[in-house]
Amino acid sequence: MSKLQPARGTRDIYGDDARHMTMVVDTFKRVAASYGFEEMVTPIFEFTEVYKRPLGEASDIVSKEMYSFEDRGGEEITLRPEFTAGVCRAFISNGLQQNLPCRFMSHGPAFRYERPQKGRYRQFHQINAELLGSDAPESDVDMLSLAWRILSELGISDDVVLHFNTLGDVQSRTQYRDALVAYFSKHKDTLSEDSKRRLTTNPLRILDSKDASDKEIVANAPLISGSLTDEARSFFDTVRRGLDVIGIPYHHDERLVRGLDYYTHTAFEFVTSALGAQGTVLAGGRYDGLIEQLGGPVTPGIGWAGGIERLAMLSQAGAAPARSVVMMPMGDAATLKAFALAEGLRRNNFTVTQDRSGNLKKRLNRANKASARFAVVIGDNELENGVVALKDLDTGTQQEISFDRLASAIQESNK
Ligand code: ATP
Ligand code: MG
């Protein structure tokens, strides 16, 4: 029989990988809380419409990446491919428009049917932040500043570049769309089949095409800057000034259009060259029309999502596993006493495990292999005298300690 494997594009996360990912999430939660963000936990699946409508039928996610199925009750269900649509749905469902702005942080798994490779999975994990209810460009600066702070605390801000663009307001986008249709129509014969279709569904998306001959045509396509209204241009300038003041370096990438329908104004990606083709670690933008499109009250929003796996690979930061105290009771009576002593140590914040099998030599070998810090040996003699043998596994020294002094003795030797 072949080895039992997890489903394609999924993986088991443990050891260093798990520690690095936990560090990303912990850093995210700590820093986002300092910007006033509160947790929003939405379901991992939603009605398919929640994603289909805002992301757009022509987006990669909706057209080929969603895990959608009909459940046993005949409902059309989709596993979360991203957080924004679900968080906005929750904002509407719970009538949260009374206290704007709302700042929500979330994290957890997301699902996309993609070709798996390093840094690209079918079940992956994201950290996600959304700011709802502010249409001021200063809020875009706040969101970028939050992202930058997190990347800095993960020690990777020097390894990423902020690519940043504006998609303009609705009027700019309509003008831009017309300019693109006029341009691409002239090259229709050489466009890929996908892009020919996009010409009617969403011409902006052609700019994102990975097709080689599309790319040549795209190279000379008109830029959004030629279609911006004065308002959109001044919005963009305000965001840029904010970035300069905070000291976030950026690259104005006029070719950057994000793959989803709902973006307006600011769009950005933090990109690294250290992870090969999977270089985007955190990305997002403004989506002023999304909540209305989902059937809610007109509410502007801006948000971003970071890929936890990619951030963890880049940062490689993680707390070392705590070095434990191993209880080694010899015999039944000592085993019972060890339960009580272990509880006392854990109340003092020590990490305590029990090893109850094999002779003492075997147990000490196991403890050393596991990089344990101390062994607490309790035999019948010790039990009778109300003491334990405390063995320092780093120095090899051993001392006799009374039950009630165990925690303080460990504290003392651990200095
Ligand atoms: P890409 O261009 O790499 O496909 P995307 O634009 O589809 O990325 P977003 O929807 O913006 O990605 O998601 C935000 C972040 O989530 C990405 O920048 C990336 O770090 C991470 N991410 C997206 N898809 C995957 C995946 N399949 N596996 C691992 N991480 C992913
Ligand atoms: Mg993608």
Side-chain angles (χ1 to χ4, degrees), residues 69-327:
F69 57 96
E70 192 184 302
D71 75 5
R72 287 164 196 274
E75 303 286 7
E76 291 297 333
I77 296 294
T78 293
L79 300 185
R80 168 169 76 202
E82 59 117 49
F83 282 70
T84 305
V87 170
C88 290
R89 196 273 309 139
F91 171 81
I92 301 168
S93 307
N94 296 283
L96 299 178
Q97 61 269 21
Q98 304 310 325
N99 289 309
L100 297 177
C102 293
R103 298 179 183 85
F104 296 127
M105 58 165 138
S106 315
H107 65 93
F111 304 85
R112 297 183 194 176
Y113 191 80
E114 305 202 61
R115 197 167 68 78
Q117 49 202 294
K118 187 165 181 276
R120 188 175 296 284
Y121 312 97
R122 290 180 175 176
Q123 174 174 338
F124 60 103
H125 299 78
Q126 287 187 333
I127 51 174
N128 189 86
E130 311 287 352
L131 171 57
L132 306 180
S134 166
D135 59 7
E138 288 79 7
S139 295
D140 301 43
V141 179
D142 285 337
M143 291 302 282
L144 283 158
S145 149
L146 167 64
W148 183 247
R149 190 75 258 126
I150 292 166
L151 296 169
S152 303
E153 303 229 350
L154 287 172
I156 57 182
S157 52
D158 286 346
D159 307 324
V160 297
V161 177
L162 168 59
H163 291 247
F164 170 69
N165 195 19
T166 177
L167 303 177
D169 48 19
V170 175
Q171 194 190 333
S172 314
R173 261 182 92 142
T174 311
Q175 285 167 197
Y176 188 42
R177 189 192 155 103
D178 292 345
L180 286 179
V181 171
Y183 172 78
F184 286 123
S185 296
K186 283 190 292 189
H187 300 275
K188 196 166 175 190
D189 296 342
T190 25
L191 283 178
S192 69
E193 284 308 312
D194 268 352
S195 289
K196 270 185 202 139
R197 215 170 323 111
R198 291 178 183 127
L199 200 49
T200 46
T201 54
N202 190 342
L204 232 78
R205 181 113 342 101
I206 302 177
L207 300 176
D208 230 2
S209 174
K210 312 239 152 56
D211 179 275
S213 86
D214 281 356
K215 278 186 173 170
E216 278 179 32
I217 304 169
V218 165
N220 293 313
L223 298 169
I224 181 81
S225 50
S227 305
L228 290 181
T229 61
D230 288 346
E231 291 78 21
R233 192 177 303 280
S234 122
F235 189 105
F236 188 50
D237 288 342
T238 305
V239 181
R240 289 163 69 156
R241 275 198 301 275
L243 294 179
D244 290 339
V245 167
I246 299 177
I248 306 176
Y250 62 84
H251 165 63
H252 178 192
D253 179 355
E254 290 222 53
R255 294 279 170 210
L256 177 75
V257 291
R258 302 268 308 135
L260 305 176
D261 275 359
Y262 55 56
Y263 286 113
T264 50
H265 289 295
T266 309
F268 58 88
E269 298 186 339
F270 286 89
V271 183
T272 175
S273 53
L275 300 176
Q278 274 53 253
T280 309
V281 292
L282 187 152
R286 178 168 276 284
Y287 48 85
D288 289 347
L290 173 58
I291 291 180
E292 192 184 5
Q293 192 184 27
L294 275 169
V298 178
T299 312
I302 175 163
W304 54 248
I308 297 179
E309 283 84 354
R310 294 183 195 178
L311 289 166
M313 272 195 280
L314 200 56
S315 113
Q316 298 279 300
R323 298 188 62 195
S324 60
V325 177
V326 187
M327 311 299 291

